[in-house]
């Protein structure tokens, strides 16, 4: 049986601190715990390596998700394979949890066509770069699946800033009205680039926004992978059971730059960042698992090594991609391209060749 | 053949295509029980049920955004925008997603959605019920745009749009929703996208038009009957453009007037003129003239006739061209 | 002292029914009551005459506001002259309450340029035809006024359907964040053309949406002019006092077609309409005033006659407007029109003249 | 004169105009403490305070809609859109309100707002950081549009925009924000809207360009040095267009290539070509050629150079034109 605890600020929590804060429990087998841990480490490794690859000039601008891994892995762990994930740039690598190759995601950040995957194959929609515009996609997908008699669920990830966008509002409104089996998962890392959540909304909490859409709003400690898992599991059950959408606000604090191009020192509270880094989500889960004797140091080593190996292979594979053919410019826009594309391509080839 | 109003032809196409393909659904504001403010979707709700003809919340970006997701779930949504100027909140979804998502999946997924809306002026309506927004759509990569000028094409182009694997936008000339019945093929009727129609053959001057400007061109041609032999090219599809038909007519007459009711700057007439300036320059026996709406806010309806291209303005352009 | 009563569905109410439902009270002098009654009758007369003028072909399509008068007059009565009103098409004639000539509003519905007024002169923004897009205008105005050190308040009117639009959401978010002295006044007539509010949102009430913007949400009986007045007066006081925006949901039931072009028989509940028509807002206030001996039959006659006379004069004036010059097409778009306008106008005049 | 990067020139203009006029305020996402993701608004928050340099919620329609209200309250808001493709949620406010509100008041009220944003490709960025959306703006009645190509014009056009009584949109070529310092007049510097600039005099062929395409045109002209005398017209303002300058150059050279990085259909090059086809047809000694982006989604950055107009494509067009 699960035991979820209320925490500071009404956040749901499972993982304690090993001292005063007691641990809760969730309904996972030891193997599942290890799988979840593996997911967390995989994302962490992906993220840390990506920052290095960026510095080495091997990938372009990159949106760091350091310490967001618990939100991503915990929620995704509550899904079935047939459920769909609608990521923002912040969840660029979430497909890894479903076996999407690291080289694919790395290629995306390398601006190489090999980075654009088939959403149907992985149940992971394309990375959404504009803020919040994928919320209606997820809702439309969930609604459409229900109309088809499927029991698939869709989850959309977005940030605290995203909740100010009209697209979020319209998507959430549709979700409520059509009772869509959708989960609106808000990563509240308390910053939209340099804008703190206090300047983003006057709402007391982001979860409060759910009331306006007639759906439950749940607040959870975003650094607690098990609390995130539990909250999402409940939301998935609700959705699949025909009880409609849920808004989940997972609260954390952005402890890294917004992206590789960003310099947060201008605006962020460095002390708060330090605190957060010390209490980062992978270590928290690691210590929890060790308290329950579910994880050994040897396993930690092995899992980390696995992750590193996957990344080494991934970047090698991405870098081994043949240069993209300029002719791709004219592909994939239409099933049946207009004649003008053929002419334009011929001209381009003539000029490039000449 | 049946004698139908343009809006009835739209309705007919929706009935037939929804019958034919169980994945076609209609969504929009007031499309259900009311059957749309122009009655274009009348009867669908009764016939196909509330799940396939859906009244949505009042949120255009939500409609188009949800349609993207519906495509991903295997539907072919036909989205009604209630009026031209009320489609603008959805432009963001159009540009950043509708036109790009197939490309994003490297062609692995299709987005066979349709956006249809009444457009255009001359109907004595309050502000913002008169826009001709085709430029915003036609400039956007990854979407096709068609604009019928008569009931048969309204049916056939919509059917083609619904069957097309890619996003298609159809602008329906609301001015002519109910101006007259015309023959429309019964049953399935498809007018392929990308094929212009020579609405009238002539040898002296070509009038290039689409949508509500085609009947206007015809009236202008009638008025010029004694003076010149006018050819009228009804583009029907703006994107992809039937360049061959356009260039053939320009080669034949050497004189072209392009008519559009949207504001002039970067309107579709500019594109037509640019194609001619690039590919027909040696055929042209005079300037390419544009008769368009002006670069001003669409006016109060008591003076909207001064804004709209008129028979007089078209005739004047043709005469200037012939005298040039 | 005011006495506002809770009513069915948690709606604030002042006016009773003369039988079981007791009357409340508001802090208005007898003269003010008469003024408010005059406002109500003026709007009612405007609306009823407009429907007739439409049938006679003297004005174009017209958005009927029959039984919405209490919401408009009650709220506007709580404003000061320096406060700004941002109307939708449903409040087209609200400027009348500030002395804007009836002929002006009638001219608007006649598509004649004389219908376009100077917002600065009346503190009434232009009629907003697209749904909800004026909400950010009102909020920007309120915020900007506060920044200027003014104590002006802005009120935006919109419908139940409007609360689904992204523009509403973004405007409301801004209002909360900038603590704008704005009132978001929602006329919940339970229909957006043919779409019932139950298909518009899954929220329990529209006022609940206020929580997501960190502002109070108030529900009031929209047929009760005094309850509307009271709620708005409080909101105005809050706003002017620096305590920020308020969302007011005034609940009524649309008892007339959406607009002259609409046929509600296809979708509406005719019995409910009948009920509403019997309990319409002008009669309710009239009976209230009579119960308190604040209004005589003679005064009713006189005030109605005044309204009719104003409309007679208004339509005559509107119809006496000289035909608009086509040259107006090129005016007012820019302070300093480009050369092309001059050429276009010259050409147009040549053709029209010829 | 000072030597400034383009983005520094923008920043300089903002400082000077905000100093000059206490009603100018800057609003947008991250414009405050961060000084904008490109640092275009750096220092304004410190100098003029949080009330005049305002970090807004992440809501572009809210930004532009609020700006309309701010104008009504007596402010001159300068709105930053963080990137080109993220301005689309605000198009509805642009088209239905920003471009129409002055008209709605019959000229009684002014809406002196500015929208400025980085635009354009070639910067190796993730999806949707590369758009050239000028058509959406330039087609909209009631707004002016300017696009500087160098630091001095970036400063001067922005100053003109801020002082203009009407809405002005400025697209800043992000590719050239930091590519090189150039001389910029110190203190107040205004480049009037509506005046093109002959960036290079020549006699054989005119290259018409704006924004990031001007330096490209210059490189192409250099490459063609031995073959042809190239004139370059930097439009600077797209609306109102300086037709006189355009027509004068076309009359002089008789050969015109128009360059634009936006997708081709209904891009601004079409408008330029249409003006030439209408008003310069007898001056033209060959077709009007367009070198543009293609009608496709802006691609993955590893092949973006194939999408962007290149020196090679411009040179090729010029050669074709000279051979025609
Ligand atoms: C529509 C839109 N506007 C602006 C941007 C630029 N932008 C990218 S990330 C970001 C901040 C997003 O903050 P939040 O929603 O909290 O997500 P986080 O990045 O913190 O995960 C902004 C403004 C964008 N991508 N899309
Ligand atoms: C953006 C936009 N979309 C659609 C419309 C068409 N339309 C006009 S009124 C209306 C219904 C509005 O309902 P509501 O907000 O409840 O206001 P009410 O008319 O009931 O006062 C619609 C859909 C519009 N004017 N603007
Ligand atoms: Mg955030
Ligand atoms: Mg309503």
């Amino acid at each position: 049986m699960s035991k979820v605890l209320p925490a500071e600020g009404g956040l749901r929590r499972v993982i304690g601190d090993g001292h005063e804060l007691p641990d809760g429990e969730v309904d996972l087998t030891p193997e599942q715990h290890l799988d979840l841990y593996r997911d967390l480490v995989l994302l962490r490794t992906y993220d840390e390596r990506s920052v290095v690859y960026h510095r080495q000039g091997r990938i372009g601008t990159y949106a760091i998700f350091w310490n967001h891994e618990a939100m991503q892995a915990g929620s995704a762990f509550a899904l079935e394979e047939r459920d769909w994930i609608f990521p923002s740039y912040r969840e660029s690598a979430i497909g890894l949890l479903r076996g999407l190759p690291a080289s694919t995601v790395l290629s995306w950040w390398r601006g190489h066509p090999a980075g654009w995957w088939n959403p149907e194959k992985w149940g992971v929609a394309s990375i959404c770069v504009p803020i919040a515009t994928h919320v209606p996609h997820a809702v439309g997908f969930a609604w459409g699946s229900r109309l088809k008699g499927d029991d698939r669920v869709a989850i959309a990830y977005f940030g605290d800033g995203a909740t100010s966008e009209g697209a979020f509002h319209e998507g959430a409104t549709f979700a409520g009205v059509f009772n869509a089996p959708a989960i609106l998962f808000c990563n509240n890392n308390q910053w939209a680039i340099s804008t703190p959540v206090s300047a983003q909304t006057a709402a007391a909490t982001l979860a409060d926004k759910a009331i306006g859409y007639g759906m439950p709003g749940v607040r959870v400690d975003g650094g607690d992978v098990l609390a995130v898992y539990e909250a999402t599991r409940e939301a998935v059950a609700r959705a699949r059971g025909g009880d409609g959408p849920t808004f989940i606000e997972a609260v954390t604090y952005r402890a890294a730059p917004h992206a590789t191009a960003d310099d947060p020192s201008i605006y962020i509270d460095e002390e708060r960042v330090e605190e957060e880094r010390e209490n980062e989500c992978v270590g928290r889960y690691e210590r929890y698992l060790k308290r329950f004797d579910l994880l050994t140091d040897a396993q930690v080593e092995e899992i980390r090594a696995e992750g590193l190996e996957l990344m080494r292979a991934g970047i090698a594979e991405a870098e081994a991609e043949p240069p993209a053919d300029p002719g791709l410019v004219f592909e994939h826009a239409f099933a049946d391209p207009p004649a003008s594309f053929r002419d334009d391509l011929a001209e381009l080839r003539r000029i490039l060749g000449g | 053949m049946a004698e139908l109003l343009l809006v009835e032809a739209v309705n007919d196409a929706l009935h037939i295509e929804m019958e034919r393909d169980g994945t076609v659904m209609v969504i929009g504001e007031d499309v259900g029980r009311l059957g749309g403010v122009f009655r274009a979707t009348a009867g669908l709700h009764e016939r196909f049920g509330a799940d396939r003809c859906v009244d949505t919340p009042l949120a255009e970006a939500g409609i188009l955004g949800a349609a993207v997701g519906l495509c991903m779930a295997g539907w072919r949504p036909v989205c009604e925008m209630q009026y031209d100027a009320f489609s603008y909140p959805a432009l963001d979804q159009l540009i950043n997603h509708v036109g790009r998502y197939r490309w994003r999946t490297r062609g692995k997924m299709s987005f066979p959605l349709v956006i249809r809306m009444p457009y255009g002026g001359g109907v004595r309506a309050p502000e913002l019920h008169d826009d001709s927004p085709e430029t915003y759509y036609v400039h956007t990569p990854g979407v096709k745009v068609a604009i019928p000028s008569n009931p048969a094409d309204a049916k056939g182009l919509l059917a083609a749009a619904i069957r097309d694997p890619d996003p298609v936008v159809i602008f329906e000339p609301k001015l002519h929703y109910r101006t007259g019945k015309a023959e429309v093929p019964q049953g399935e009727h498809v007018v392929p996208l990308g094929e212009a129609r020579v609405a009238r053959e002539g040898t002296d001057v070509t009038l290039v038009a689409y949508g509500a400007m085609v009947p206007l061109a015809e009236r202008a041609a009638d008025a010029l009957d004694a003076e010149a032999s006018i050819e009228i090219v009804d583009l029907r599809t703006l994107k992809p453009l039937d360049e061959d038909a356009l260039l053939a007519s320009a080669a034949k007459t050497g004189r072209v007037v392009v008519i559009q009711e949207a504001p002039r700057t970067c309107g579709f007439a500019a594109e037509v003129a640019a194609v001619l300036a690039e590919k027909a320059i040696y055929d042209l026996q005079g300037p390419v003239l544009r008769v368009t709406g002006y670069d001003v806010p669409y006016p109060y309806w008591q003076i909207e006739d001064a804004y709209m291209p008129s028979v007089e303005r078209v005739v004047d352009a043709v005469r200037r061209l012939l005298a040039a």
Side-chain angles (χ1 to χ4, degrees), chain A, chain B:
Chain A
M1 280 309 306
S2 303
K3 190 167 145 211
V4 181
L5 308 166
E8 228 184 325
L11 302 181
R12 291 165 58 141
R13 182 182 59 74
V14 171
I15 301 180
D17 65 357
H19 305 286
E20 296 98 67
L21 267 188
D23 284 315
E25 266 169 71
V26 296
D27 210 4
L28 290 178
T29 64
E31 290 70 37
Q32 287 176 312
H33 271 298
L34 270 188
D35 284 347
L36 180 52
Y37 176 72
R38 196 171 280 114
D39 284 355
L40 264 189
V41 172
L42 178 55
L43 290 177
R44 171 62 52 89
T45 313
Y46 181 92
D47 185 72
E48 290 186 341
R49 294 309 298 158
S50 289
V51 173
V52 174
Y53 298 153
H54 171 76
R55 273 200 221 104
Q56 296 171 337
R58 302 165 82 180
I59 65 171
T61 300
Y62 167 68
I64 304 163
F65 57 79
W66 198 90
N67 203 32
H68 292 61
E69 298 90 345
M71 299 187 281
Q72 300 177 16
S75 54
F77 205 75
L79 305 173
E80 303 287 337
E81 283 285 313
R82 65 187 180 286
D83 299 328
W84 273 51
I85 292 171
F86 289 76
S88 83
Y89 51 88
R90 189 70 73 209
E91 296 77 26
S92 62
I94 199 164
L96 265 56
L97 307 184
R98 294 204 160 166
L100 183 77
S103 64
T104 303
V105 187
L106 289 164
S107 289
W108 196 92
W109 292 106
R110 285 167 54 79
H112 187 285
W116 275 256
W117 62 80
N118 175 5
E120 273 185 331
K121 183 158 178 197
W122 307 101
V124 182
S126 304
I127 294 170
C128 188
V129 172
I131 303 297
T133 49
H134 58 313
V135 176
H137 304 168
V139 170
F141 175 86
W143 168 34
S145 295
R146 199 171 65 81
L147 289 179
K148 289 248 161 188
D150 288 349
D151 73 342
R152 290 185 296 185
V153 165
I155 186 167
Y157 293 90
F158 50 88
D160 43 308
T163 64
S164 295
E165 287 280 5
F168 161 76
H169 177 71
E170 300 193 10
T173 297
F174 272 60
V177 166
F178 296 115
N179 202 37
I183 298 161
L184 308 189
F185 192 103
C186 179
N187 121 46
N188 178 3
N189 62 12
Q190 303 189 48
W191 292 92
I193 309 185
S194 73
T195 307
V197 70
S198 60
Q200 193 64 248
T201 179
T205 74
L206 298 180
D208 280 355
K209 298 197 180 196
I211 300 166
Y213 309 110
M215 65 176 83
V218 179
R219 301 191 82 213
V220 57
D221 180 341
D224 180 337
V225 68
L226 296 179
V228 170
Y229 164 71
E230 263 303 296
T232 314
R233 204 181 54 83
E234 279 179 28
V236 169
R238 274 177 46 78
R240 216 182 306 280
D243 294 325
T246 303
F247 180 94
I248 297 177
E249 176 190 359
V251 182
T252 178
Y253 192 90
R254 211 189 70 215
H258 167 72
T260 48
D262 178 40
D263 173 12
S265 70
I266 304 179
Y267 56 81
I268 221 160
D269 175 353
E270 301 272 17
E271 260 179 51
R272 181 77 181 73
V273 168
E274 231 7 88
E275 230 174 78
E276 190 67 25
R277 293 189 77 87
E278 269 162 36
N279 199 27
E280 57 76 27
C281 64
V282 180
R284 265 170 86 182
Y285 189 37
E286 207 168 286
R287 291 191 294 276
Y288 175 92
L289 292 176
K290 286 185 175 169
R291 282 199 292 279
F292 285 83
D293 285 329
L294 293 165
L295 183 73
T296 65
D297 282 343
Q299 284 171 315
V300 169
E301 281 316 300
E302 188 194 311
I303 289 170
R304 285 195 192 155
E306 260 173 49
L308 281 169
E309 182 43 40
L310 196 116
M311 289 306 291
R312 253 192 300 271
I315 190 75
E317 204 182 312
E319 289 178 336
E321 285 289 344
D325 183 300
L328 270 179
V329 162
F330 298 100
E331 276 182 43
H332 311 313
F334 293 107
D336 180 19
S340 63
F341 283 21
R342 198 194 42 221
D343 302 344
D344 284 338
L345 177 58
E347 185 190 290
L348 185 63
R349 289 228 192 271
R350 180 175 57 72
I351 293 170
L352 291 178
Chain B
M1 288 283 177
E3 291 273 319
L4 297 180
L5 297 170
L6 199 151
V7 71
E8 291 170 343
V10 168
N11 187 262
D12 190 29
L14 290 171
H15 271 92
I16 291 170
E17 296 304 314
M18 288 181 79
E19 197 71 67
R20 222 188 122 254
D21 181 347
T23 68
V24 176
M25 63 188 285
V26 165
I27 68 174
E29 294 155 12
D30 305 296
V31 296
R33 273 218 280 168
L34 182 62
V37 294
F38 288 102
R39 329 278 309 127
T41 59
L44 301 175
H45 185 264
E46 293 79 348
R47 174 95 155 263
F48 302 102
D51 281 354
R52 285 186 63 203
C53 180
V54 187
D55 283 325
T56 64
L58 215 177
E60 293 76 13
I63 293 171
L64 194 52
V68 169
L70 286 167
C71 289
M72 292 173 145
W75 293 95
R76 299 178 94 89
V78 180
C79 310
E80 175 171 306
M81 296 283 146
Q82 201 162 80
Y83 274 91
D84 31 64
F86 307 146
S87 73
Y88 301 141
L91 282 175
D92 181 41
Q93 284 288 338
L94 181 92
I95 305 167
N96 281 347
H97 292 297
V98 172
R100 298 185 63 95
Y101 225 122
R102 179 192 180 79
W103 169 87
R104 248 178 224 145
T105 71
R106 301 196 68 197
K108 294 293 193 303
M109 291 186 75
S110 285
F111 293 82
L113 64 83
V114 174
I115 303 170
R116 46 164 293 277
M117 74 185 84
Y119 90 98
V123 296
R124 309 287 183 254
E127 207 197 330
L128 293 173
H129 290 72
D130 313 277
D131 272 12
S132 297
E134 63 271 18
T135 280
Y136 301 112
Y137 290 83
V138 91
H139 181 61
T140 302
V143 300
K144 303 177 183 178
V145 177
I147 311 189
S149 69
N150 60 66
D153 284 354
K155 177 172 177 179
L157 289 169
L158 179 53
I162 292 173
R163 297 177 188 198
D164 199 274
D166 290 316
V168 183
V169 187
I170 309 257
F171 293 95
E172 297 159 3
K174 70 171 90 75
L175 175 63
H176 291 301
Y177 263 160
R178 299 178 178 280
T179 42
K181 297 202 184 234
E183 297 224 318
V184 176
Q186 264 166 328
E188 294 191 27
H189 170 56
V190 178
V191 173
L193 299 173
E195 294 185 9
R197 177 180 73 98
V198 176
R200 181 177 301 205
E201 304 244 11
T203 52
D204 297 335
V205 176
T206 301
L207 300 181
V208 179
Y210 52 90
M213 295 298 98
V214 174
L216 179 84
E218 284 166 343
R219 288 195 288 132
D222 291 343
L224 286 159
D225 204 28
E227 291 164 66
S229 163
I230 305 289
E231 176 143 310
I232 299 175
V233 176
D234 176 355
L235 294 178
R236 301 205 288 197
T237 304
L238 273 57
K239 201 174 187 180
L241 175 64
D242 187 346
E243 277 194 14
D244 293 343
L246 174 67
L247 296 175
S249 187
K252 183 174 167 193
T253 64
R255 293 185 183 85
V256 184
V257 176
V258 198
I259 317 173
Q260 133 209 325
E261 61 178 289
R264 185 184 300 143
T265 302
C266 282
F268 198 71
E271 180 61 29
V272 171
V275 168
L276 294 171
E278 185 152 3
K279 302 190 175 171
I281 194 85
Y282 301 113
D283 292 324
L284 293 175
Q285 289 163 41
V288 179
L289 298 185
R290 288 186 282 173
V291 177
T292 71
Y294 300 109
D295 286 321
V296 301
Y298 193 95
Y300 336 92
W301 56 256
Q302 289 208 10
I303 54 170
E304 68 179 326
D305 293 346
Y307 169 90
M308 291 280 282
S310 60
V311 169
E312 292 73 21
R313 282 173 63 199
V314 176
V315 165
D316 181 79
V318 169
R319 288 194 182 133
R320 274 189 288 139
L321 195 47
L322 287 167

